[in-house]
Amino acid sequence: VIQVCRELKIHPDEFFGPGRERRLTRARRIAIKRLLAAGFNMAGAARMIRRNYSTVRYWMNPKIRAAHNERSRAYMRQLRHGGELAA
């Protein structure tokens, strides 16, 4: 994790902080991939980057990301067109 921070010139406080800027999420994705390649399971990788297991699952499963993105796009379309939002 620290190696990724050094390579991408990100302070560890930013990496482990709550920020969701593209450069931070990219760094976290790289760290996750390296941790998994080093033999960590998803829960272990999540602990190492101080995130929830679901974050690792999200980034490592394209189907989950695609479904999430589609739900987000549908929600934004509804907002833009003045439609009723489902409860």
Side-chain angles (χ1 to χ4, degrees), residues 7-75:
E7 289 172 12
L8 300 177
K9 297 175 177 54
I10 293 173
H11 194 278
D13 289 344
E14 284 186 284
F15 180 92
F16 293 115
R20 293 173 61 177
E21 293 91 12
R22 185 177 296 252
R23 67 190 185 86
L24 297 176
T25 58
R26 179 175 177 263
R28 292 177 190 133
R29 280 193 318 270
I30 291 168
I32 289 166
K33 286 181 182 181
R34 289 184 186 179
L35 289 165
L36 294 175
F40 284 83
N41 61 23
M42 284 196 216
R47 282 191 297 275
M48 292 297 291
I49 66 164
R50 300 183 191 165
R51 291 289 182 273
N52 188 288
Y53 166 83
S54 62
T55 300
V56 175
R57 199 171 124 248
Y58 173 84
W59 284 114
M60 293 298 101
N61 189 327
K63 288 181 181 180
I64 291 173
R65 280 198 318 277
H68 176 267
N69 291 338
E70 181 51 38
R71 285 191 304 273
S72 295
R73 282 191 288 272
Y75 176 79

